[in-house]
Amino acid sequence: MCGIFGYIGNQQATNLLINGLRRLEYRGYDSSGIAILNSKISHTKCIGRVANLESVLPENMDGNCGIAHTRWATHGGVTKENAHPHLSEDGTVAIIHNGIIENSRALRNWLIAEGVTLQSETDSEVLAHLIHRARCDGLSPLDSVRRALRQTRGTWGLCALFEDEQMIVCARNGSPLVIGVGDGESFVASDPHALTPHTQRVIFLEDGDLAVLTAGGVQTSRLDGDSSDATVTTIDQSWGVADIGDFPHFMLKEIHEQPESLRQCISGRTVLSEGNGKLGGLDLSAKKLLEISHIRLIGCGTALHACQVGRLAIEHMARVPTQSHVASEFRYNNPVISPAALYLAVSQSGETADTLSAVKEIQLKGGTVMGVINVVGSSIARQCGRGVYIHSGPEQAVASTKAFSNMVASLTIFSLQIGRARSLSKRDGKQVVKALNAIPNQVEKYLEDSGPIMEAVQAVKDAPHVLFLGRGASAPVAREGALKLMEVAYIPCLAYPAGEMKHGPIALLEEGSPVVVICPNDKFRAKTLSNVQECKARGAKIILIHDEGDDEAAIEADIAIAVPATHSVISPLLTVVPLQLLAYHVAVELGRDVDKPRNLAKSVTVE
Ligand code: F6R
């Protein structure tokens, strides 16, 4: 989603800003822009890729201070006018903004009534004019931003540049902003990974924080004028290095990284002799785990599907009632929050606004919420304070792959831990631990020979729609397979628990309709195979994901893709891989922008 990068120091800012935007490209965007301060503010913006912006930059855009932005459209279409930066009418104030100004309609009307000519359809532009009006009233840059934000309702990650001041004023509320502290230079970005080539010393702004950046340092304060608690922390440089290597796309690279990232996630977190899991970051004793009344897992998209797999694993192993929730719905349904329950917020980026809002709602109502997060130091991780890092490493492709697997692995380890504190026998726990530890090698083995994926690609690529079916833990895998194919190949997909198919979606089936069925050799297999028969009877073309050696199942399929067999609780870690490959190869075949699918963003920082 929208990205911010800003710089002030002794170097020429333009190239630094363009390179900063490049590191934010993976988040998804549709236009970009840059403003540089010299004696005046000069700015350029355009629709499309950062490469387009670079190609239209004027040659003499020199200056040691500037701000740059990638925009993912919310208010107003994808146009040059709507791209950021936005400037005051006299060009003396430039702003870039992530988030949504909720009262922008009223503010726009008021500004127009005051005689201001607005240049864009965006909510963000009002900030440039409000700040400028405060400057005209004699307020300092910092106080101007403060006054403008007090007139505003919504979320912001904001940077403002002033023609007559060598500084960048930043503010955060609900949209991440990280300051990079350099030697004689300062940086700001919406994503810490954009900062790591320059500095590892960062300040994560909290909601309600403001910061004034100069070459000499950073001054933070609160919106209400109080002093801020923001402190400098050191982040891991290696996180930001995500090289595509010999792979044509990050998505394929990340699919192939799963064996290694699963090892990173599982390593040292299970105890075979006890059949137990060991997640130190939860800081939950066996006694506390025993006292938990119920569990709620919260996430969006792929993370939600991981929650749905995790829910089944927790109920299976710990016999504690567990629910998974769509984060964007959770907060607004006035959820009943119990202090005896445990809430887990699951997110790759740790910045998803819907999930972050759910976390805050739970905390506001006195609940305990922990993060299951990939990005270290992200907003949700910090808001939760405790939890599990899933250790996937950087995920650059918009379509999430390796993070799904590591979320499922982390939730499985959690299931073991709470299971062993409650009802899970050591013997049963040991079986799961053994199976989990074998998974990375099994995924590796599958990736060495992924079966007739390309045949499946031909069956799917021109289909008007694709149906995905599975039961038990394979039902969320079906949803994940459908989501992947939809988002990278733009083919309409439906996913249903296989038994539910005959209650409606079967009406879609006709001769040749592709149906992808996830059918590991678990207790649901026979029933799922009956559903396969029902599809075949209507002419459907069956692509079946089944366990290696299960020839009885394979024979029912038009295209049978075998994965190594494992414990039924963790079968999603294997069955999801062919679905990721299917989506990837269909997208390539159709010429899609695989790593940056249209309209999507990697880090969804608006609700
Ligand atoms: C799908 C995908 C999205 C994300 C969702 C949540 O491939 O990437 O559906 O899973 O936006 O993102 P995180 O996990 O960062 O909270």
Side-chain angles (χ1 to χ4, degrees), residues 452-468 481-482 484-494 512-517 540-545 558-559 561 578-590 592:
I453 291 286
M454 296 316 284
E455 249 184 81
V457 169
Q458 293 310 315
V460 159
K461 75 178 178 55
D462 299 316
H465 52 78
V466 183
L467 180 60
F468 286 74
K484 282 294 87 93
L485 187 58
M486 266 191 295
E487 65 182 333
V488 296
Y490 319 151
I491 296 176
C493 296
L494 270 184
S513 301
V515 178
V516 181
V517 185
K541 188 159 197 170
I542 305 295
I543 300 162
L544 192 84
I545 315 299
D558 294 284
I559 300 165
I561 301 172
L579 305 186
Q580 296 168 340
L581 287 172
L582 176 65
Y584 170 77
H585 287 293
V586 173
V588 171
E589 188 88 1
L590 294 175
R592 309 298 194 221

Side-chain angles (χ1 to χ4, degrees), residues 300-303 347-349 352 398-400 407 483-484 487 604:
C300 302
T302 290
S347 173
Q348 187 284 128
S349 62
T352 302
V398 163
S400 187
M407 286 168 184
L483 177 69
K484 282 294 87 93
E487 65 182 333
V604 185

Side-chain angles (χ1 to χ4, degrees), residues 186-356:
S186 305
F187 304 82
V188 57
S190 49
D191 183 328
H193 318 315
L195 298 176
T196 48
H198 307 288
T199 178
Q200 279 69 63
R201 298 178 63 230
V202 301
I203 300 171
F204 289 101
L205 294 185
E206 299 295 342
D207 287 352
D209 277 346
L210 289 110
V212 177
L213 271 60
T214 59
V218 181
Q219 287 288 332
T220 57
S221 58
R222 301 285 298 163
L223 187 56
D224 58 13
D226 284 354
S227 55
S228 143
D229 296 334
T231 49
V232 177
T233 53
T234 303
I235 52 170
D236 183 2
Q237 183 176 23
S238 64
W239 174 270
V241 183
D243 189 353
I244 200 162
D246 293 333
F247 286 92
H249 298 100
F250 276 109
M251 183 176 175
L252 188 62
K253 175 178 183 252
E254 287 158 9
I255 292 171
H256 281 267
E257 278 175 350
Q258 286 176 112
E260 196 44 42
S261 64
L262 279 162
R263 281 184 198 109
Q264 293 291 334
C265 175
I266 298 165
S267 156
R269 286 172 154 182
T270 58
V271 187
L272 180 59
S273 59
E274 291 301 318
N276 208 341
K278 197 174 61 174
L279 294 171
L282 295 178
D283 194 21
L284 285 172
S285 64
K287 182 170 173 291
K288 279 193 187 148
L289 287 167
L290 193 58
E291 286 165 0
I292 289 170
S293 62
H294 60 277
I295 296 173
R296 288 174 158 208
L297 303 163
I298 298 147
C300 302
T302 290
L304 174 68
H305 299 148
C307 292
Q308 291 165 349
V309 175
R311 174 187 101 76
L312 294 169
I314 296 169
E315 286 206 337
H316 177 84
M317 291 193 239
R319 310 305 301 152
V320 54
T322 305
Q323 281 295 319
S324 56
H325 294 270
V326 175
S328 55
E329 289 290 298
F330 187 80
R331 171 185 181 193
Y332 296 102
N333 288 337
N334 193 15
V336 178
I337 302 299
S338 161
L342 178 66
Y343 300 83
L344 295 175
V346 181
S347 173
Q348 187 284 128
S349 62
E351 300 295 349
T352 302
D354 292 317
T355 312
L356 182 58

